[in-house]
Amino acid sequence: MNGKGSVTLNAGIEKAWEVLLDPEALKNCIMGCKKLEPVNENKYEAEVSIGIAAVKGKYESTIEIADVQKPNHYKLVVKGEGGPGSVEAAGVVDLVPIDDNKTELNYTYEAEVGGKVAMVGQRMLNGVAKLIIQDFFKKFNKELAKSEQSI
Amino acid sequence: MSKVIGKRVTRVEDARLLTGQGKYIDDVGTPPNTGHVAILRSPYPHAKIVSIDYSEALEIPGVKGVVTGKDVHPLLNPFSVGVSAPVHYYPIAIDKVRFVGEPVAVVVAKNRYIAEDALEKIKVKYENLEPIVDIERALEKGAPILHENVGSNIANHRTFHYGDVEKAFEQADKIIKHRFHFPKYSATPVETYGIVAQYDHSSDSYTVHANFHGPFVLHSIMAGALKIPSNRLRIIIPKDIGGSYGIKAGIFPYIVLCSVVSRLVGCPVKWIEDRQEHLAASSSCTDRVTYIEAAVKNDGKILGLKMKMIDNVGAYIRAPEPACLYRNHANTTGAYDIPNLMIDAYAVMTNKLPTGLIRGYGGQETYFPLERIMQIISDELKLEPAEVIRRNLIKKEQFPYRTASGGVYDSGDYEKAFDLLLKIGKYDEFRKKQAEARKRGKLLGVGLAVIVEPSGSNMGYITIALTPEERKAGLPKSGCSEAATISMDPMGNVNVRISTTPSGQGHETVASQIVSEILGIPHEKINVVAELDTATSAWSIASGSYSSRFASLGSSAVYYAAHKVKNKLIKIAAHFLKAKEEDLTIEKGNIVSKTDPSKSISIKRVVGSAHWNPLSLPEGMEPGIYETAYYTAQAEPPDDQDLINSSVTYGFVADLVTVEIDPETGDIHILDYFTVHDAGKLLNPLIVDGQILGGLVHGLGGAMYEELVYDEKGQFLTGSFMDYLCPTAPEVPNVTIKHIETPSPLTPLGAKGLGEGNTMSAPVVIANAVNDALKPYGVTIDSLPVTPNKVWNILNQSKKQEVSS
């Protein structure tokens, strides 16, 4: 499964970058994320509960951030495993400034799922991926607004 | 007593089945303290198991134990299999997983809910290996290898030369060839696998209730795997099995797994497979690539065939595989008189679910390329397909017909059946209709297929996987025995015990018809017991419900057992009546003299004497009425030239299907399905038609809907009925069934097996019809299922070509 897309963030590039790499903000934005803790500088451990088709359950995953070119580009490598199966995904994020308060974010991803979730959820995976991503950016813009207020 | 064999007698089974009183495996009670099993399965197609940590699972209240491959390994032998490749197959992964769904750990808990929850607490570390799923790539050098000790992915390879193939190809006007791919699909009984297994320490023995349906040669394989004498593995099959269509033979690894888990955890265990497990990890047919080459004369006569068959047996070759390659060995040339044949047969292993019996077993894989090439021959020679078929059909005078590969077709009149088919299917009329429709832009097609339906496997056929030299080292194997026991109690009532483990085919009804006719007792009064208990039933290696063997073999055992009882009754009556045995006959519950009507005695009194007054019996006769007959038809082991008559009886099926294709959507609408059968003497035409319809719908699934899909990385994608599509009532087309009856000279009732024929023929006849409809587009359908998607792509590609040219 793969896909790409682009979204406009309501913040300048520096701000957007900062919030994108803030574990607390990310935790709030990822659907079903129960835990997101840094293990070292560019690696996190996460626990995500999510249901796809009839397959609901918890994934324990590691998220690695690689290829960092602050504040324009980075790559996310996600490896998750749990009762419903396994996920291996890689996403590439590129930020392009539009103006002081707007940034364009372009992303591409490739993901492979295994186990039960692949067996019974295959038909919906693309839809689910889009849903999760849309949900992420909706919440992310809220996080950006929140961090603006807190300044 | 009036004749009852051959009548449309309603099924005795239906009263209980339709009122919810069937006794299935899940209705079998469990012993106290039974634990319930849930199985952790591999999400990866090919990986090393680095570690398994189940400590957290054990802490869950209600969990009785967790078992892994490492725990099981010392207690088991790998399953034996009839090939020389040293594949080590255990019912649970030991250090490596080789397909998605392979068992990795087993949890036993107070109930299934707890067991399922505990699965999530088991942490398995895998190290992924490169998977292989493509049949032909698996043969290539440098392909990932599943079994390192085998050294390649080839589980079996044999080449056969019959007649003079090279000469046939030299004499041909034309050589017509094509490559075909047959998909991997399943049988989907409503009832999945179910097992209750109990280990008894004091006797070191296992008692297992399971909906296993044979072949019972697998009993020896299970006992061998458990490292116990075979009489320490008692398997009891319930009265009712909720459908099988072959796939319940594939339960045997789980019987061994549950048995050894019961031993390790120390309690009886019960496992009922769920649907996702069934689709991912029970069994399936093989997917097969066939390269077929036909040497033909310009008039359509086929002089010889070359077939390279590559069967994908999945991650492990397991018994009775590679039988799928060889079950149709004797009838590889189908209904045609083709004396020269070369077969190059491979069984390869890939990271997919291991295969086994499903209805048709090998027939659909064999006839798909054969009957497709017949249509291609007619296209290339510009002849009517019906003409090419007729030119090659075996003639009535040729029976019994010896096939190139050693089959002996017992009886038949193929031309008569084929003519009947063309007549009821209005073949010529449809051709005219089709031509008119084409002018109006409509896509109509007609497909034909004729096949030979083997039944009653000769157990020796599997040994064709070995070379004649390799075979010499072992016991010659052949035969197709079945047993039945008939007893009469002191009140003169009859019990019949059969060992054919029916899964809905109505064996109880047919057995009662046969016994009724021979003993002159109304069939409703006869009690037939279909439970099989390996410790108390009469059975043999070939026993069970597969290969359509009841009509040819099971019924024959019942027939001979009934005659043993009849002979004894007549002997006793002759003694009492002071009459000659040959003068006596059974009439309305009495044994009477044909020459002197005053000499008469009731059967009840005769039987009563055998129980109540044994001293009154003729001298030397044993008391009681309890007779077992073992029956085998003539079935010999393969000879030094690899000639093998792989089945006992051979029926005939001829299909004609008409379709209309929607050029906008690619939707395939089956207008009519005509099928003509010759299964010898029919024992119960009502049951026959039901069996034919069931088999046809299964074949329809293989043709248009069903496929176990794996992506190129070995991930399994069709794990529920949302993705694995089975035909249901609305998809069933108009079906017209007709019969002709040429009795088999080999069975006492003249019957042949049936029920699998259309599973073998439907995939190819539908492909032929679709291909005929798409003839203007110049395409060749060479894989299945033919889905609207596939057809739509064909239609659109040719539209694009029109635009660009």
Side-chain angles (χ1 to χ4, degrees), chain B residues 439-473:
Chain B
K439 284 180 206 155
R440 287 181 280 118
K442 297 252 180 202
L443 299 175
L444 261 56
V446 55
L448 294 169
V450 295
I451 64 142
V452 167
E453 178 175 6
S455 60
S457 294
N458 171 2
M459 297 308 275
Y461 83 83
I462 300 173
T463 61
I464 203 92
L466 304 172
T467 63
E469 292 69 42
E470 287 169 328
R471 284 199 297 271
K472 272 187 192 127

mmCIF file of all heavy atoms in Angstrom, chain B residues 439-473:
data_model
loop_
_atom_site.group_PDB
_atom_site.id
_atom_site.type_symbol
_atom_site.label_atom_id
_atom_site.label_comp_id
_atom_site.label_asym_id
_atom_site.label_seq_id
_atom_site.Cartn_x
_atom_site.Cartn_y
_atom_site.Cartn_z
ATOM 1 N N LYS B 439 -24.030 -9.437 -34.353
ATOM 2 C CA LYS B 439 -24.309 -8.325 -35.264
ATOM 3 C C LYS B 439 -24.872 -7.129 -34.498
ATOM 4 O O LYS B 439 -24.667 -5.984 -34.866
ATOM 5 C CB LYS B 439 -25.327 -8.764 -36.339
ATOM 6 C CG LYS B 439 -24.705 -9.646 -37.406
ATOM 7 C CD LYS B 439 -25.774 -10.040 -38.433
ATOM 8 C CE LYS B 439 -25.406 -11.356 -39.097
ATOM 9 N NZ LYS B 439 -26.585 -12.071 -39.603
ATOM 10 N N ARG B 440 -25.590 -7.446 -33.416
ATOM 11 C CA ARG B 440 -26.197 -6.371 -32.614
ATOM 12 C C ARG B 440 -25.265 -5.933 -31.477
ATOM 13 O O ARG B 440 -25.686 -5.241 -30.547
ATOM 14 C CB ARG B 440 -27.530 -6.849 -32.039
ATOM 15 C CG ARG B 440 -28.639 -6.939 -33.102
ATOM 16 C CD ARG B 440 -29.955 -7.386 -32.501
ATOM 17 N NE ARG B 440 -30.005 -8.841 -32.298
ATOM 18 C CZ ARG B 440 -30.130 -9.440 -31.126
ATOM 19 N NH1 ARG B 440 -30.223 -8.731 -30.021
ATOM 20 N NH2 ARG B 440 -30.168 -10.749 -31.053
ATOM 21 N N GLY B 441 -24.026 -6.381 -31.540
ATOM 22 C CA GLY B 441 -23.055 -5.961 -30.518
ATOM 23 C C GLY B 441 -23.176 -6.709 -29.200
ATOM 24 O O GLY B 441 -22.594 -6.330 -28.198
ATOM 25 N N LYS B 442 -23.938 -7.789 -29.191
ATOM 26 C CA LYS B 442 -24.090 -8.585 -27.956
ATOM 27 C C LYS B 442 -23.050 -9.694 -27.927
ATOM 28 O O LYS B 442 -22.705 -10.261 -28.962
ATOM 29 C CB LYS B 442 -25.485 -9.216 -27.917
ATOM 30 C CG LYS B 442 -26.605 -8.218 -27.862
ATOM 31 C CD LYS B 442 -27.231 -8.228 -26.492
ATOM 32 C CE LYS B 442 -28.371 -7.229 -26.407
ATOM 33 N NZ LYS B 442 -28.647 -6.857 -25.025
ATOM 34 N N LEU B 443 -22.588 -9.995 -26.724
ATOM 35 C CA LEU B 443 -21.552 -11.016 -26.575
ATOM 36 C C LEU B 443 -22.148 -12.283 -25.971
ATOM 37 O O LEU B 443 -22.345 -12.378 -24.763
ATOM 38 C CB LEU B 443 -20.429 -10.496 -25.689
ATOM 39 C CG LEU B 443 -19.687 -9.258 -26.202
ATOM 40 C CD1 LEU B 443 -18.673 -8.783 -25.166
ATOM 41 C CD2 LEU B 443 -18.997 -9.558 -27.520
ATOM 42 N N LEU B 444 -22.463 -13.241 -26.830
ATOM 43 C CA LEU B 444 -22.959 -14.538 -26.377
ATOM 44 C C LEU B 444 -21.879 -15.587 -26.610
ATOM 45 O O LEU B 444 -21.141 -15.502 -27.597
ATOM 46 C CB LEU B 444 -24.212 -14.919 -27.177
ATOM 47 C CG LEU B 444 -25.577 -14.665 -26.519
ATOM 48 C CD1 LEU B 444 -25.722 -13.223 -26.118
ATOM 49 C CD2 LEU B 444 -26.715 -15.091 -27.430
ATOM 50 N N GLY B 445 -21.828 -16.554 -25.711
ATOM 51 C CA GLY B 445 -20.823 -17.600 -25.882
ATOM 52 C C GLY B 445 -21.352 -18.948 -25.445
ATOM 53 O O GLY B 445 -22.245 -19.040 -24.601
ATOM 54 N N VAL B 446 -20.805 -19.993 -26.046
ATOM 55 C CA VAL B 446 -21.163 -21.346 -25.609
ATOM 56 C C VAL B 446 -19.871 -22.123 -25.386
ATOM 57 O O VAL B 446 -18.926 -22.027 -26.164
ATOM 58 C CB VAL B 446 -22.103 -22.053 -26.624
ATOM 59 C CG1 VAL B 446 -21.522 -22.082 -28.030
ATOM 60 C CG2 VAL B 446 -22.428 -23.475 -26.160
ATOM 61 N N GLY B 447 -19.849 -22.844 -24.280
ATOM 62 C CA GLY B 447 -18.676 -23.653 -23.950
ATOM 63 C C GLY B 447 -19.066 -25.105 -23.811
ATOM 64 O O GLY B 447 -20.190 -25.430 -23.408
ATOM 65 N N LEU B 448 -18.132 -25.969 -24.178
ATOM 66 C CA LEU B 448 -18.334 -27.406 -24.020
ATOM 67 C C LEU B 448 -17.186 -27.965 -23.203
ATOM 68 O O LEU B 448 -16.067 -27.462 -23.257
ATOM 69 C CB LEU B 448 -18.323 -28.093 -25.389
ATOM 70 C CG LEU B 448 -19.454 -27.776 -26.357
ATOM 71 C CD1 LEU B 448 -19.122 -28.326 -27.735
ATOM 72 C CD2 LEU B 448 -20.783 -28.333 -25.852
ATOM 73 N N ALA B 449 -17.475 -28.998 -22.444
ATOM 74 C CA ALA B 449 -16.402 -29.749 -21.796
ATOM 75 C C ALA B 449 -16.904 -31.163 -21.569
ATOM 76 O O ALA B 449 -18.063 -31.366 -21.202
ATOM 77 C CB ALA B 449 -16.011 -29.116 -20.467
ATOM 78 N N VAL B 450 -16.048 -32.119 -21.835
ATOM 79 C CA VAL B 450 -16.378 -33.511 -21.511
ATOM 80 C C VAL B 450 -15.255 -34.041 -20.631
ATOM 81 O O VAL B 450 -14.087 -33.774 -20.888
ATOM 82 C CB VAL B 450 -16.531 -34.386 -22.775
ATOM 83 C CG1 VAL B 450 -17.709 -33.928 -23.603
ATOM 84 C CG2 VAL B 450 -15.287 -34.396 -23.621
ATOM 85 N N ILE B 451 -15.650 -34.722 -19.595
ATOM 86 C CA ILE B 451 -14.623 -35.235 -18.673
ATOM 87 C C ILE B 451 -14.979 -36.643 -18.210
ATOM 88 O O ILE B 451 -16.133 -37.063 -18.262
ATOM 89 C CB ILE B 451 -14.467 -34.334 -17.428
ATOM 90 C CG1 ILE B 451 -15.756 -34.329 -16.592
ATOM 91 C CG2 ILE B 451 -14.074 -32.918 -17.788
ATOM 92 C CD1 ILE B 451 -15.485 -34.311 -15.128
ATOM 93 N N VAL B 452 -13.963 -37.317 -17.747
ATOM 94 C CA VAL B 452 -14.164 -38.617 -17.126
ATOM 95 C C VAL B 452 -14.044 -38.403 -15.625
ATOM 96 O O VAL B 452 -13.125 -37.746 -15.157
ATOM 97 C CB VAL B 452 -13.103 -39.611 -17.642
ATOM 98 C CG1 VAL B 452 -13.081 -40.871 -16.803
ATOM 99 C CG2 VAL B 452 -13.393 -39.947 -19.099
ATOM 100 N N GLU B 453 -15.011 -38.928 -14.905
ATOM 101 C CA GLU B 453 -15.046 -38.716 -13.457
ATOM 102 C C GLU B 453 -14.587 -39.977 -12.731
ATOM 103 O O GLU B 453 -15.331 -40.955 -12.650
ATOM 104 C CB GLU B 453 -16.465 -38.333 -13.007
ATOM 105 C CG GLU B 453 -16.552 -38.151 -11.505
ATOM 106 C CD GLU B 453 -17.901 -37.655 -11.005
ATOM 107 O OE1 GLU B 453 -18.844 -37.548 -11.804
ATOM 108 O OE2 GLU B 453 -18.002 -37.382 -9.796
ATOM 109 N N PRO B 454 -13.367 -39.953 -12.199
ATOM 110 C CA PRO B 454 -12.886 -41.159 -11.508
ATOM 111 C C PRO B 454 -13.511 -41.263 -10.126
ATOM 112 O O PRO B 454 -13.808 -40.253 -9.498
ATOM 113 C CB PRO B 454 -11.380 -40.909 -11.387
ATOM 114 C CG PRO B 454 -11.236 -39.422 -11.332
ATOM 115 C CD PRO B 454 -12.383 -38.858 -12.127
ATOM 116 N N SER B 455 -13.729 -42.472 -9.651
ATOM 117 C CA SER B 455 -14.187 -42.619 -8.267
ATOM 118 C C SER B 455 -13.618 -43.887 -7.668
ATOM 119 O O SER B 455 -13.315 -44.843 -8.364
ATOM 120 C CB SER B 455 -15.714 -42.635 -8.203
ATOM 121 O OG SER B 455 -16.223 -43.704 -8.941
ATOM 122 N N GLY B 456 -13.481 -43.856 -6.353
ATOM 123 C CA GLY B 456 -12.910 -44.989 -5.638
ATOM 124 C C GLY B 456 -11.429 -45.104 -5.921
ATOM 125 O O GLY B 456 -10.972 -45.920 -6.717
ATOM 126 N N SER B 457 -10.643 -44.238 -5.266
ATOM 127 C CA SER B 457 -9.195 -44.239 -5.513
ATOM 128 C C SER B 457 -8.579 -45.587 -5.215
ATOM 129 O O SER B 457 -8.884 -46.209 -4.203
ATOM 130 C CB SER B 457 -8.517 -43.215 -4.605
ATOM 131 O OG SER B 457 -8.914 -41.931 -4.950
ATOM 132 N N ASN B 458 -7.689 -45.981 -6.081
ATOM 133 C CA ASN B 458 -6.811 -47.113 -5.820
ATOM 134 C C ASN B 458 -5.662 -46.580 -4.982
ATOM 135 O O ASN B 458 -4.896 -45.740 -5.443
ATOM 136 C CB ASN B 458 -6.314 -47.659 -7.160
ATOM 137 C CG ASN B 458 -5.219 -48.695 -7.006
ATOM 138 O OD1 ASN B 458 -4.839 -49.060 -5.895
ATOM 139 N ND2 ASN B 458 -4.717 -49.168 -8.140
ATOM 140 N N MET B 459 -5.557 -47.045 -3.713
ATOM 141 C CA MET B 459 -4.580 -46.457 -2.803
ATOM 142 C C MET B 459 -3.146 -46.541 -3.341
ATOM 143 O O MET B 459 -2.263 -45.835 -2.891
ATOM 144 C CB MET B 459 -4.652 -47.115 -1.424
ATOM 145 C CG MET B 459 -5.985 -46.919 -0.730
ATOM 146 S SD MET B 459 -6.531 -45.189 -0.633
ATOM 147 C CE MET B 459 -5.694 -44.643 0.849
ATOM 148 N N GLY B 460 -2.940 -47.402 -4.332
ATOM 149 C CA GLY B 460 -1.598 -47.539 -4.894
ATOM 150 C C GLY B 460 -1.177 -46.378 -5.766
ATOM 151 O O GLY B 460 0.005 -46.223 -6.054
ATOM 152 N N TYR B 461 -2.121 -45.534 -6.156
ATOM 153 C CA TYR B 461 -1.745 -44.512 -7.133
ATOM 154 C C TYR B 461 -0.750 -43.508 -6.572
ATOM 155 O O TYR B 461 0.046 -42.931 -7.303
ATOM 156 C CB TYR B 461 -2.981 -43.821 -7.717
ATOM 157 C CG TYR B 461 -3.573 -42.696 -6.905
ATOM 158 C CD1 TYR B 461 -3.047 -41.405 -6.980
ATOM 159 C CD2 TYR B 461 -4.672 -42.886 -6.066
ATOM 160 C CE1 TYR B 461 -3.604 -40.365 -6.238
ATOM 161 C CE2 TYR B 461 -5.219 -41.857 -5.337
ATOM 162 C CZ TYR B 461 -4.685 -40.603 -5.425
ATOM 163 O OH TYR B 461 -5.226 -39.592 -4.690
ATOM 164 N N ILE B 462 -0.817 -43.289 -5.259
ATOM 165 C CA ILE B 462 0.073 -42.272 -4.679
ATOM 166 C C ILE B 462 1.534 -42.710 -4.812
ATOM 167 O O ILE B 462 2.436 -41.877 -4.921
ATOM 168 C CB ILE B 462 -0.315 -41.986 -3.210
ATOM 169 C CG1 ILE B 462 -1.757 -41.477 -3.169
ATOM 170 C CG2 ILE B 462 0.608 -40.950 -2.593
ATOM 171 C CD1 ILE B 462 -2.333 -41.317 -1.796
ATOM 172 N N THR B 463 1.754 -44.041 -4.860
ATOM 173 C CA THR B 463 3.141 -44.513 -4.932
ATOM 174 C C THR B 463 3.757 -44.279 -6.314
ATOM 175 O O THR B 463 4.944 -44.520 -6.505
ATOM 176 C CB THR B 463 3.253 -46.012 -4.572
ATOM 177 O OG1 THR B 463 2.486 -46.775 -5.521
ATOM 178 C CG2 THR B 463 2.730 -46.296 -3.188
ATOM 179 N N ILE B 464 2.975 -43.777 -7.247
ATOM 180 C CA ILE B 464 3.521 -43.406 -8.552
ATOM 181 C C ILE B 464 4.464 -42.204 -8.395
ATOM 182 O O ILE B 464 5.268 -41.909 -9.276
ATOM 183 C CB ILE B 464 2.367 -43.119 -9.554
ATOM 184 C CG1 ILE B 464 2.823 -43.281 -10.999
ATOM 185 C CG2 ILE B 464 1.786 -41.757 -9.383
ATOM 186 C CD1 ILE B 464 2.608 -44.635 -11.549
ATOM 187 N N ALA B 465 4.376 -41.537 -7.258
ATOM 188 C CA ALA B 465 5.317 -40.439 -6.953
ATOM 189 C C ALA B 465 6.745 -40.963 -6.830
ATOM 190 O O ALA B 465 7.703 -40.204 -6.955
ATOM 191 C CB ALA B 465 4.906 -39.729 -5.665
ATOM 192 N N LEU B 466 6.869 -42.253 -6.560
ATOM 193 C CA LEU B 466 8.200 -42.866 -6.454
ATOM 194 C C LEU B 466 8.532 -43.564 -7.766
ATOM 195 O O LEU B 466 7.643 -43.959 -8.512
ATOM 196 C CB LEU B 466 8.208 -43.899 -5.311
ATOM 197 C CG LEU B 466 7.799 -43.369 -3.939
ATOM 198 C CD1 LEU B 466 7.659 -44.529 -2.951
ATOM 199 C CD2 LEU B 466 8.821 -42.358 -3.421
ATOM 200 N N THR B 467 9.819 -43.745 -8.035
ATOM 201 C CA THR B 467 10.206 -44.461 -9.242
ATOM 202 C C THR B 467 9.952 -45.960 -9.024
ATOM 203 O O THR B 467 9.853 -46.411 -7.879
ATOM 204 C CB THR B 467 11.700 -44.267 -9.539
ATOM 205 O OG1 THR B 467 12.438 -44.831 -8.446
ATOM 206 C CG2 THR B 467 12.054 -42.792 -9.689
ATOM 207 N N PRO B 468 9.852 -46.734 -10.109
ATOM 208 C CA PRO B 468 9.641 -48.185 -9.930
ATOM 209 C C PRO B 468 10.701 -48.796 -9.003
ATOM 210 O O PRO B 468 10.383 -49.677 -8.202
ATOM 211 C CB PRO B 468 9.748 -48.730 -11.359
ATOM 212 C CG PRO B 468 9.332 -47.592 -12.236
ATOM 213 C CD PRO B 468 9.804 -46.348 -11.537
ATOM 214 N N GLU B 469 11.937 -48.301 -9.096
ATOM 215 C CA GLU B 469 13.011 -48.831 -8.230
ATOM 216 C C GLU B 469 12.729 -48.497 -6.762
ATOM 217 O O GLU B 469 12.863 -49.342 -5.891
ATOM 218 C CB GLU B 469 14.381 -48.242 -8.626
ATOM 219 C CG GLU B 469 14.903 -48.685 -9.986
ATOM 220 C CD GLU B 469 14.097 -48.134 -11.152
ATOM 221 O OE1 GLU B 469 13.724 -46.937 -11.095
ATOM 222 O OE2 GLU B 469 13.800 -48.891 -12.101
ATOM 223 N N GLU B 470 12.338 -47.236 -6.530
ATOM 224 C CA GLU B 470 12.036 -46.834 -5.146
ATOM 225 C C GLU B 470 10.852 -47.628 -4.598
ATOM 226 O O GLU B 470 10.829 -48.007 -3.427
ATOM 227 C CB GLU B 470 11.716 -45.332 -5.089
ATOM 228 C CG GLU B 470 12.932 -44.435 -5.270
ATOM 229 C CD GLU B 470 12.569 -42.960 -5.486
ATOM 230 O OE1 GLU B 470 11.503 -42.671 -6.072
ATOM 231 O OE2 GLU B 470 13.356 -42.106 -5.092
ATOM 232 N N ARG B 471 9.877 -47.878 -5.460
ATOM 233 C CA ARG B 471 8.689 -48.624 -5.009
ATOM 234 C C ARG B 471 9.041 -50.041 -4.587
ATOM 235 O O ARG B 471 8.425 -50.593 -3.676
ATOM 236 C CB ARG B 471 7.637 -48.678 -6.130
ATOM 237 C CG ARG B 471 6.865 -47.397 -6.337
ATOM 238 C CD ARG B 471 5.583 -47.644 -7.100
ATOM 239 N NE ARG B 471 5.763 -48.136 -8.442
ATOM 240 C CZ ARG B 471 5.893 -47.370 -9.529
ATOM 241 N NH1 ARG B 471 5.900 -46.056 -9.397
ATOM 242 N NH2 ARG B 471 6.034 -47.901 -10.722
ATOM 243 N N LYS B 472 10.030 -50.612 -5.278
ATOM 244 C CA LYS B 472 10.390 -52.008 -4.987
ATOM 245 C C LYS B 472 10.849 -52.192 -3.548
ATOM 246 O O LYS B 472 10.720 -53.266 -2.977
ATOM 247 C CB LYS B 472 11.485 -52.470 -5.950
ATOM 248 C CG LYS B 472 10.887 -53.022 -7.224
ATOM 249 C CD LYS B 472 11.917 -53.645 -8.125
ATOM 250 C CE LYS B 472 11.294 -53.885 -9.485
ATOM 251 N NZ LYS B 472 12.071 -53.320 -10.573
ATOM 252 N N ALA B 473 11.409 -51.124 -2.965
ATOM 253 C CA ALA B 473 11.914 -51.225 -1.597
ATOM 254 C C ALA B 473 10.782 -51.384 -0.582
ATOM 255 O O ALA B 473 11.002 -51.853 0.538
ATOM 256 C CB ALA B 473 12.740 -49.975 -1.273
#
